[in-house]
Every structure is written in C-alpha cells, then in structure tokens.
Amino acid sequence: MNKLIKSIRNFFKKIARFIDKKIILPITKLFVGISNKFKGNGRSFEKVITTKPGLIIVSLVVALGVFFIADTKSTSLIETSAEVLYDQPISATYNEEAYVVEGLPETVDITLIGRKSDVYLAKQLPTNDITVDLTGLKPGVHKVNLKYKKALSSVEYKLDPSVATIVIYEKVSEEKEVNYEVINKDKIDSKLMVDDVTLSTERVYVKGNEATINKVASVKALIDLKNLVNPEVGEQELKDVKLVAYDSNGKTVDVEIVPSKINATVSITSPQKEVPIKVIPKNYDKIVFGKAISKITSDVTMVTIYGDNSKLDEISYIPVYVDVSGLNEDKDFSITIERPKGVRAISDTSVNVSVSIGDETTQEVENVYLEYENLGEGLSAQTVGENSNRVTISIKGVQSVLSNLDPTTIKAYVDLKGLGVGEHEIKVQVSGSDARVKYSSKTTRIKIRITEKN
C-alpha cells in the first residue's frame, strides 16, 4: 500500500513540475520581457495592466494558454496505449520431491493495455510472478493456464504465452561417482600445475525422469582455477564447486544433482628440471665449400623447464637450431628457444649464439662397428659379406676440432624399422656428439639379412 501511495505522489509531482516548467516559467519570462521592452515607458505599461480592461485581457490570455496546455495534457493522459513487460518469471506449485515437470516456459511477456496514466502507474507498481498451480496433477501430458494477479483492474493484461503444454514425470534418483575436470588452466602461472584434487564427497545422487537419468554417463566437479586466490605451491580449498552431468558424448544432461555443489582441495606443484642447451647447426652441408665450424658458443648454456614430471623425464637437453647455409665468416645469431611438447614454461625464451668459421680438413676413422636400430621383435640381423659389419667413417671439420675428437663418440647404424625376414639393402647412417663435425660413411649402402630367431 505504501508503494502505491508513493507511486501516486510521484505521479502528481511530475505533473506539478511539468506545469511549473511549461506554464509558470514561460509566462514569467514573457512579462519580464515585456517589462524590459517598455522600460523607458514603464508608467504607461503599468497603467495598461492596472486598468480593468487591461487586467481582463491579460487574464483572458493566461486562461486560454492554461486551457490549451491542460487540454493537451489531459488528452494525452486519457489516450489508450500499450506497454510490454518482457521476460517475467513463472513460478509453479507442485511436489518437487516426487515429480519432474517439462515443457513449462521459464518466462512470459505481459502486454499492458489501457489509458496512458493507468499503464504508467501499473508499470510503477511491483509486479507479481506469473503462477501456475500443478497441485493434484498426475504424471502425463497436461495443458495449463498461466495466471497473473492484476495490479490495476483498469488495465488489461495479456500473457504470451498464456497456455503451456507440460509433461509430468515421476522423479527417480540414482547414485553416481563424482570425477573432476580442471578448467581455465591458463589462469594461473604457467610454472604451476594441479598435481591432485581431493573432493569433499565421492558420490552424489542425480534426480529426474527415468529416461533422462539413463543418459547420465558421468558427473564431474568443474575445478575452475580462475577462482583460486593467489595460487601458489601447496594446497588450496575451493568452495561451492559446480557439478555437471554429462552423457556418453560429452554433452550436458539437465538433471538435478544432490548436492548441487561440493568443496575441493587443490594440490598445486611446480615440477621442474635443469637441462643444457644444445646448439645444432642446420644445413651444415650448405656452408661455403672448404669451410667448417671451429667454435659455437651461446650466452645461455642451461635452462630450467617446467611441466609434468613424466614429460620432463623424457627431455635430456633443449635443441637450438642455427641455420649456417652459405656462411663463410664468423656470425652472431639471436634465436628464440622453442618449448618442447609437454613443457609448460622455460626459464629463458631466447639465446645469443656465436659461430666461428675456419678452414675445413678431412680425416678417416676406420673399423667403426655397424649397429642395428628398430629391429622387429623375434628377429635377428646380420650383414652379408666379409667384414661388412664394420665401416670407415669420413669426418670433416677444422683441424683443431678433429684432433680432439673421441672416435668412440661416432656411431654408424642402419634403421631396420618395418623390415621383415629376407635380404635388404639399407642406407648407412652416421651420427656424432660434436655438432661442429660433418660425418659420412665411405660405404653408403649395405646388404642386411634378417632371419627369425631360433
């Protein structure tokens, strides 16, 4: 009631402000203007407005002005108009513990039709939710009318929609195990990672109609890392973690989950490992003829990498590739360090590499034992021909590098991946630990016989 009185009071205040602004103030300005205009002849003007005929004329002009303004305003107020109240919520009354209702819209639009003044007043009054009483309805399909309590009887209210076709099901429940999924991993420092999550409960109940419950394949607690306050290494608690049900295709299923939210303890770690930088010349065979690399230095020799321990264990060094094609003199390079797959962060993102050039010489290393790689399970391999299991390796580089090269670091091998029983002619490949040296085998291809083990 207080709100209604307040709304009416505000309505008349607005009318008073309108009259003051549109009538009183303009008339006052008019007379002041006339007075200023006749300032030099003020007595004559005063005589005019103080005489009886003058006062009658002025009063008549003012009365006509007020009449026309009031008539216009009153006409405007009694004109019929319409206003739409969008997205008004619906409240349904039924036994939520026993039944599930489908097909009932969440909101409706209400059209208010009536005089402008009434519609304006109706909009100011507190609106009531649209209600539908489903008490007593049994499982099945029903058509129900949506009802709205009118605030003013002089205003016509039309609901869209005004009728809803609903389906009522008996509610069933089923116990489900709760798993978790970590989301928004990029919202915390890349050096940090979630090592483990402990949920306050491991099982929940999903409730709904039987057909919908049968679709639920999993229930997950969404561990949203953006909700962590100052994430750092250690344990942090997340409250009111949202639970979501999914079907076998990963789509959400609209069911009631009890409880709907749980708490979780998030364990944050920062696994790390220090590894060396290994500078590897790229296109070394395209360096200027007769030249070789005498020295390679970098301003960064060790970096710290961060990521999952299983990934870090696979990494022994970080390769940095330097393109030396066409190089014929000393040169400095600035190179971006690429993060290996599985590495979340790295302590340095770039490295400066200096490459020095010298004259190339050639030497040979004899009797390097030939190794077999990627031989299939249950198979054995051997070379065909006398002494064919050893090869001579040609090494090229500046003399100072070749003189200090350890021959045991040279590896000659054949790749037998995918090869079965029989004889095969395979390319001989060579590798070495010193990136400043070019390696090649004098024997480029060799015949290998593969047999089954006895």
Side-chain angles (χ1 to χ4, degrees):
M1 189 64 184
N2 290 334
K3 290 185 177 180
L4 177 61
I5 294 172
K6 185 177 181 181
S7 299
I8 295 173
R9 186 185 297 121
N10 290 336
F11 175 70
F12 284 107
K13 281 184 177 179
K14 289 184 178 180
I15 293 177
R17 283 197 294 269
F18 176 83
I19 294 174
D20 180 64
K21 182 177 180 181
K22 299 296 183 179
I23 300 175
I24 305 301
L25 185 60
I27 291 175
T28 302
K29 287 184 177 180
L30 174 64
F31 281 106
V32 170
I34 294 173
S35 176
N36 289 336
K37 189 172 182 180
F38 293 99
K39 190 173 184 181
N41 204 5
R43 290 182 180 179
S44 300
F45 178 72
E46 184 179 351
K47 288 180 180 179
V48 171
I49 63 172
T50 54
T51 62
K52 188 174 182 180
L55 286 174
I56 292 173
I57 294 171
V58 171
S59 299
L60 180 60
V61 171
V62 172
L64 288 172
V66 171
F67 170 76
F68 283 117
I69 293 173
D71 183 64
T72 302
K73 187 63 179 177
S74 61
T75 302
S76 173
L77 289 174
I78 63 174
E79 286 180 347
T80 300
S81 67
E83 293 280 352
V84 180
L85 303 177
Y86 294 100
D87 300 327
Q88 300 302 302
I90 296 175
S91 62
T93 303
Y94 65 97
N95 188 348
E96 297 184 21
E97 291 297 320
Y99 300 109
V100 177
V101 176
E102 291 185 356
L104 188 68
E106 294 183 0
T107 62
V108 297
D109 297 336
I110 304 175
T111 303
L112 284 62
I113 304 173
R115 293 182 302 178
K116 270 191 175 181
S117 57
D118 292 339
V119 171
Y120 175 81
L121 185 58
K123 286 178 62 179
Q124 311 308 313
L125 296 175
T127 58
N128 297 301
D129 290 346
I130 298 87
T131 61
V132 55
D133 190 357
L134 307 180
T135 305
L137 295 182
K138 300 298 181 183
V141 180
H142 304 274
K143 271 193 174 182
V144 294
N145 295 317
L146 306 180
K147 297 180 180 180
Y148 182 74
K149 185 178 180 180
K150 296 183 178 181
L152 289 178
S153 59
S154 59
V155 175
E156 182 182 356
Y157 296 82
K158 291 187 177 181
L159 276 63
D160 182 23
S162 60
V163 178
T165 300
I166 64 170
V167 183
I168 299 178
Y169 299 94
E170 287 188 357
K171 180 179 284 188
V172 296
S173 64
E174 185 175 326
E175 191 178 30
K176 290 286 185 179
E177 183 181 359
V178 181
N179 297 310
Y180 68 86
E181 180 180 350
V182 180
I183 60 175
N184 285 319
K185 295 180 181 179
D186 59 338
K187 300 302 181 182
I188 64 173
D189 193 320
S190 58
K191 296 178 182 179
L192 303 176
M193 64 175 294
V194 175
D195 183 58
D196 190 27
V197 175
T198 303
L199 304 177
S200 59
T201 182
E202 295 181 352
R203 306 190 74 82
V204 295
Y205 286 92
V206 290
K207 296 183 178 183
N209 67 72
E210 187 174 3
T212 305
I213 291 296
N214 290 336
K215 294 180 183 178
V216 177
S218 63
V219 177
K220 293 183 179 179
L222 300 184
I223 308 301
D224 194 342
L225 299 188
K226 73 179 181 182
N227 293 332
L228 291 176
V229 180
N230 298 322
E232 56 186 16
V233 174
E235 291 187 347
Q236 292 199 29
E237 186 176 13
L238 277 179
K239 293 184 178 295
D240 297 330
V241 176
K242 183 180 179 182
L243 296 177
V244 181
Y246 296 92
D247 64 13
S248 56
N249 296 319
K251 295 182 179 179
T252 58
V253 182
D254 186 15
V255 292
E256 180 184 354
I257 304 176
V258 181
S260 61
K261 295 180 180 180
I262 61 175
N263 296 335
T265 301
V266 182
S267 177
I268 298 178
T269 60
S270 181
Q272 54 190 272
K273 180 180 180 181
E274 192 175 43
V275 293
I277 288 288
K278 183 176 181 180
V279 181
I280 302 174
K282 187 170 67 173
N283 295 321
Y284 198 179
D285 58 333
K286 295 180 181 179
I287 200 170
V288 170
F289 180 77
K291 297 294 182 179
I293 298 173
S294 61
K295 184 187 294 186
I296 301 178
T297 59
S298 63
D299 62 346
V300 177
T301 58
M302 301 289 292
V303 292
T304 302
I305 54 177
Y306 301 84
D308 186 85
N309 278 321
S310 61
K311 297 294 183 182
L312 299 184
D313 291 341
E314 298 173 358
I315 300 173
S316 57
Y317 64 88
I318 302 296
V320 173
Y321 296 95
V322 182
D323 190 352
V324 296
S325 57
L327 198 63
N328 61 358
E329 60 182 7
D330 299 352
K331 188 175 180 179
D332 296 330
F333 299 84
S334 181
I335 302 171
T336 299
I337 302 175
E338 295 185 5
R339 283 190 290 114
K341 188 176 181 180
V343 173
R344 293 172 56 88
I346 190 167
S347 58
D348 293 271
T349 57
S350 63
V351 58
N352 295 316
V353 177
S354 297
V355 179
S356 300
I357 300 299
D359 294 328
E360 181 183 79
T361 59
T362 303
Q363 293 182 12
E364 292 183 353
V365 179
E366 298 180 346
N367 296 321
V368 177
Y369 183 74
L370 188 66
E371 299 180 20
Y372 307 126
E373 289 196 351
N374 299 318
L375 180 61
E377 188 176 352
L379 302 176
S380 63
Q382 61 181 18
T383 56
V384 178
E386 188 178 356
N387 296 325
S388 56
N389 61 341
R390 295 179 183 274
V391 294
T392 298
I393 303 301
S394 173
I395 54 175
K396 295 181 180 181
V398 297
Q399 185 59 53
S400 59
V401 173
L402 298 184
S403 299
N404 295 316
L405 182 66
D406 182 359
T408 61
T409 61
I410 301 174
K411 177 183 177 180
Y413 64 96
V414 288
D415 188 353
L416 306 179
K417 184 178 182 179
L419 299 181
V421 174
E423 291 189 357
H424 309 273
E425 192 172 278
I426 312 295
K427 178 183 177 181
V428 178
Q429 301 183 59
V430 185
S431 64
S433 61
D434 197 326
R436 299 169 297 174
V437 178
K438 303 175 188 177
Y439 303 89
S440 62
S441 173
K442 300 278 287 184
T443 304
T444 57
R445 302 184 71 84
I446 198 165
K447 187 173 288 187
I448 302 293
R449 181 184 294 118
I450 299 177
T451 58
E452 292 184 353
K453 290 181 180 178
N454 295 329

